Amino acid sequence: MIRTLRATVLAALSVVLVAWPAQAVTAPRAERSATARLSVELCPPPGPVVPGESGILEVRVTNRGPAATTDPTLVVVHLPPPGVVKSADPPVALTYFGTGSSYSVPAGLAPGATSVERLSLYVAPITSPFTTISGDVQAFYPGDPDQSGHTTPYSFTTDDTRAHFMVGASSAWQAGHPVPQPGDLTGAPGATIHLPLWVYNAGPSYSTHPIDVRITVPEHTTLTSPTPSGCTATGPRTLTCHYGVGPRYQDAIFIDPAVVIDPATTAGQVLPGGTLDVSGREDCPSPDWHTDFSVTVVAGGPPGGGPERAPVR
């Protein structure tokens, strides 16, 4: 009887083992839930960008999945410093970090829909010309099976630098540029005074090319030593100056030639005829390249009287 029972159990077990594979094959599998799937396409600046100006990077984040996004998508834009993502169109909140910026695409991006942002990439004035700037854009969406983020590179080149030169006469430096001060360009008969002449760069770039400056000091004054660095006297009242590069963005070169006022002049006399001119290949000819100046003769005493001059740059 024991043998009969054992045989019955074994027979029943064999039926179960034979039937199980068939049942496993025919059982329906659970459907995987639909999800959003993102892609990132970029359109970098179409041409070179002048240092100190901005180029537009268009970022397109598209949902190529069968379902809308249910969470915000984080978009991270890497731009090498000292450049910066300056603004976005349409406006979005930009979060800045050491090597770039980020923003969010709200939840609800429908299947086939695209979020488009036009980002203004500011190239710092100090950036070298004719170089390639490279970065990338990443999109992170928690519900996407690809959790590594979608990374798309971009690159663009910089153009030649562009500087706008302005000339003038003053001894002080305020709010990032030279300003005239009381006592500038005055002196007593027979006195030696310094003429606080300057060439200012209004940008947008650092100057990287040579500039030339021509100076004529006013009538009834004569150039004397010391001759300013980079300058050569070409006559009793004329100087030519050459500099390997112009001033930095929002900075100036101070020239400061010394002159002797004719002892025969009298207090109150205005000595005209001073001129200052600059030229450089980075800037187009402009009225800002030229200025006229004069020296006013004052009664005896210490010449000048203005505040201490800014250091020569």
Side-chain angles (χ1 to χ4, degrees):
M1 182 172 177
I2 294 175
R3 290 181 179 177
T4 303
L5 181 59
R6 182 178 179 183
T8 302
V9 171
L10 291 174
L13 182 59
S14 65
V15 171
V16 172
L17 293 174
V18 170
W20 179 80
Q23 292 173 352
V25 171
T26 58
R29 294 183 179 179
E31 289 288 334
R32 190 172 189 175
S33 60
T35 184
R37 297 175 183 271
L38 303 182
S39 67
V40 179
E41 291 84 33
L42 304 177
C43 182
V49 179
V50 173
E53 297 186 347
S54 298
I56 299 300
L57 173 68
E58 186 174 280
V59 180
R60 304 174 66 88
V61 178
T62 302
N63 181 1
R64 302 193 183 279
T69 58
T70 57
D71 294 289
T73 300
L74 177 65
V75 181
V76 179
V77 183
H78 291 106
L79 175 64
V84 67
V85 181
K86 201 167 189 178
S87 62
D89 180 27
V92 292
L94 293 167
T95 299
Y96 294 95
F97 55 92
T99 58
S101 305
S102 66
Y103 65 92
S104 291
V105 177
L109 188 65
T114 300
S115 166
V116 180
E117 288 292 343
R118 290 171 53 83
L119 304 178
S120 177
L121 304 186
Y122 178 67
V123 178
I126 196 173
T127 307
S128 298
F130 310 121
T131 61
T132 299
I133 294 177
S134 300
D136 60 58
V137 177
Q138 295 176 283
F140 296 91
Y141 172 63
D144 195 323
D146 181 3
Q147 290 296 313
S148 64
H150 300 269
T151 303
T152 303
Y154 71 87
S155 65
F156 62 93
T157 60
T158 60
D159 208 341
D160 199 359
T161 51
R162 188 164 68 224
H164 177 62
F165 301 123
M166 305 169 67
V167 296
S170 65
S171 62
W173 185 266
Q174 295 177 3
H177 58 87
V179 293
Q181 293 293 297
D184 285 346
L185 305 173
T186 65
T192 297
I193 66 171
H194 287 263
L195 305 178
L197 308 180
W198 47 260
V199 178
Y200 177 72
N201 177 9
S205 309
Y206 273 42
S207 174
T208 60
H209 296 288
I211 65 168
D212 291 291
V213 180
R214 297 179 305 280
I215 298 168
T216 300
V217 299
E219 298 172 7
H220 304 291
T221 68
T222 305
L223 289 163
T224 187
S225 59
T227 301
S229 176
C231 298
T232 301
T234 54
R237 293 178 48 217
T238 56
L239 283 172
T240 59
C241 310
H242 179 81
Y243 302 96
V245 294
R248 298 170 296 182
Y249 171 54
Q250 293 186 341
D251 206 345
I253 294 174
F254 284 84
I255 303 175
D256 219 33
V259 297
V260 176
I261 299 175
D262 187 341
T265 58
T266 59
Q269 187 175 353
V270 177
L271 311 180
T275 61
L276 172 61
D277 294 88
V278 65
S279 60
R281 62 172 272 188
E282 292 166 299
D283 198 2
C284 296
S286 160
D288 293 335
W289 279 19
H290 170 85
T291 192
D292 298 309
F293 63 94
S294 59
V295 167
T296 299
V297 182
V298 297
E308 184 178 352
R309 295 182 178 88
V312 175
R313 289 171 169 80

